[in-house]
């Protein structure tokens, strides 16, 4: 068993080595995909979104328009900064504000499934923020030896790992079937491993593959006719899940950070 795990970890390391140039870009595109899609949707469905907010909250034309405008500009602007790696902490702050704003505006706070998914999005943003701290450190102290652990970065990675796995809590079902029970057990084990940072790259890689397959299977929005409302729901779920996949890919490429069992094992 240990030998098989070792071989699997070697495969992950080989994939990371060969994809070291392209994987960071794929990771970032996945991470911002839900914000990018939602920002574009705000523009394409400008009138519908404004009308929905006005009817839901009775806030009037002006405030409803401001809500749509903030979501449109904030999400596309934040995505651009993340992709260009410019002012990433500010970009993460903007996107975090958008997540909080939508959580309240769409009453997600009272829907556990959507709330857990939004928490997973926050976790992905924290991982982007952690990576930006590493980039800043390299820029400021390039060529100098490390003078100690980057504790803020380590804690950001820990919080990001914990929140990202909330996505998988939405996949657990209380159904009496072999496949569902197996999915619950395997998913729960992998969630715990990623959370505590043990065999992290391997566990996160398995979750990436698993979530990717489920996403294309369960959220195939392109198979639904454009006039059906279900298309928008599936499309939203698809890109939100893709962002969490990006967060997990960042765990794979960046590692679990200092606050993890993998890191402590190196000191034993």
């Amino acid at each position: 068993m240990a030998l098989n795990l070792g071989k699997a970890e070697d495969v992950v390391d080989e994939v990371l080595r060969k994809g070291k140039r392209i994987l960071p870009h794929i990771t970032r595109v996945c991470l911002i995909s839900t914000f990018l899609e939602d920002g574009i949707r705000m523009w394409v469905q400008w009138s519908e979104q404004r009308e929905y907010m006005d009817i839901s909250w009775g806030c009037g034309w002006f405030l409803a328009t401001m809500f749509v405008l903030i979501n449109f500009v904030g999400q596309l602007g934040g995505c651009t900064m993340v992709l260009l790696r410019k002012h990433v902490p500010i970009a993460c702050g903007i996107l975090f504000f958008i997540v909080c704003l939508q959580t309240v505006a769409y009453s997600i706070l009272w829907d556990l499934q959507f709330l857990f998914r939004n928490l997973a999005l926050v976790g992905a943003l924290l991982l982007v923020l952690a990576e930006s701290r590493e980039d800043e450190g390299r820029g400021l102290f390039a060529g100098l030896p490390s003078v100690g652990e980057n504790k803020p970065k380590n804690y950001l990675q820990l919080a990001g790992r914990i929140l990202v796995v909330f996505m998988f809590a939405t996949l657990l079902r209380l159904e009496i079937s072999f496949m569902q029970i197996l999915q619950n057990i395997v998913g729960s084990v992998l969630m715990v491993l990623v959370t505590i940072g043990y065999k992290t790259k391997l566990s996160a890689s398995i979750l990436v593959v698993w979530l990717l397959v489920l996403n294309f299977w369960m959220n195939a929005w392109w198979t639904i006719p454009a006039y059906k409302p279900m298309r928008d729901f599936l499309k939203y779920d698809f890109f939100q899940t893709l962002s969490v996949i990006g967060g997990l890919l960042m765990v794979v490429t960046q590692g679990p950070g200092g606050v993890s069992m993998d890191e402590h094992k190196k000191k034993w």
Side-chain angles (χ1 to χ4, degrees):
M1 182 66 175
L3 184 61
N4 290 335
L5 287 176
K7 288 182 178 179
E9 289 178 313
D10 290 340
V11 171
V12 173
D13 289 336
E14 182 65 17
V15 171
L16 289 175
R17 187 182 65 80
K18 291 184 176 180
K20 63 181 179 180
R21 294 186 181 276
I22 189 67
L23 274 176
H25 302 294
I26 295 175
T27 297
R28 283 176 172 269
V29 170
C30 288
L31 271 164
I32 58 91
S33 62
T34 189
F35 299 105
L36 185 62
E37 186 275 333
D38 196 54
I40 294 172
R41 182 162 55 88
M42 288 293 168
W43 175 258
V44 174
Q45 300 178 358
W46 185 283
S47 299
E48 293 91 332
Q49 291 295 324
R50 182 178 61 192
E51 184 178 344
Y52 174 81
M53 291 309 301
D54 189 13
I55 294 174
S56 298
W57 291 91
C59 56
W61 179 89
F62 177 75
L63 288 179
T65 301
M66 289 303 298
F67 172 82
V68 178
L69 182 62
I70 289 170
N71 276 273
F72 170 65
V73 175
Q75 290 185 106
L76 295 188
C79 289
T80 302
M81 287 190 282
V82 169
L83 287 176
L84 296 178
R85 299 194 180 193
K86 301 293 185 182
H87 309 294
V88 175
I90 296 175
C92 289
I94 293 171
L95 295 176
F96 174 73
F97 170 74
I98 296 294
V99 172
C100 294
L101 179 64
Q102 291 189 355
T103 299
V104 175
Y106 295 125
S107 301
I108 291 173
L109 196 60
W110 315 116
D111 188 317
L112 280 182
Q113 181 171 356
F114 283 103
L115 179 61
F116 282 173
R117 292 189 174 197
N118 273 15
L119 286 173
L121 276 182
V122 171
L125 290 175
L126 289 178
L127 292 170
V128 175
L129 189 57
E131 185 200 28
S132 74
R133 293 187 66 91
E134 181 180 9
D135 291 340
E136 290 172 3
R138 287 172 179 171
L140 289 172
F141 305 108
L144 295 179
S146 176
V147 294
E149 292 185 353
N150 187 342
K151 290 185 178 180
K153 179 192 172 186
N154 290 334
Y155 291 129
L156 284 172
Q157 288 178 301
L158 172 63
R161 289 200 323 268
I162 292 172
L163 290 176
V164 159
V165 299
F166 270 85
M167 170 59 74
F168 292 89
T170 67
L171 302 177
L172 303 180
R173 299 284 188 274
L174 296 177
E175 297 176 6
I176 308 301
S177 69
F178 175 76
M179 288 304 298
Q180 188 59 55
I181 292 173
L182 180 64
Q183 179 174 300
N184 289 348
I185 294 173
V186 174
S188 299
V189 170
L190 292 173
M191 285 166 57
V192 171
L193 291 177
V194 171
T195 301
I196 64 177
Y198 181 70
K199 301 289 184 182
T200 316
K201 289 185 178 182
L202 177 59
S203 302
S205 297
I206 295 172
L207 286 177
V208 165
V209 175
W210 181 20
L211 195 53
L212 196 61
V213 171
L214 287 178
N215 198 28
F216 277 90
W217 176 38
M218 298 175 64
N219 297 322
W221 56 270
W222 53 89
T223 63
I224 306 296
Y227 63 86
K228 291 191 175 181
M230 181 58 68
R231 180 186 174 94
D232 280 341
F233 286 111
L234 291 180
K235 192 175 184 181
Y236 176 79
D237 280 353
F238 178 87
F239 283 101
Q240 198 171 43
T241 305
L242 202 60
S243 286
V244 176
I245 289 172
L248 286 166
L249 278 174
M250 188 156 283
V251 172
V252 175
T253 57
Q254 297 292 315
V259 187
S260 63
M261 290 189 65
D262 285 343
E263 188 66 25
H264 284 290
K265 278 168 52 184
K266 299 176 182 177
K267 302 175 182 179
W268 294 347

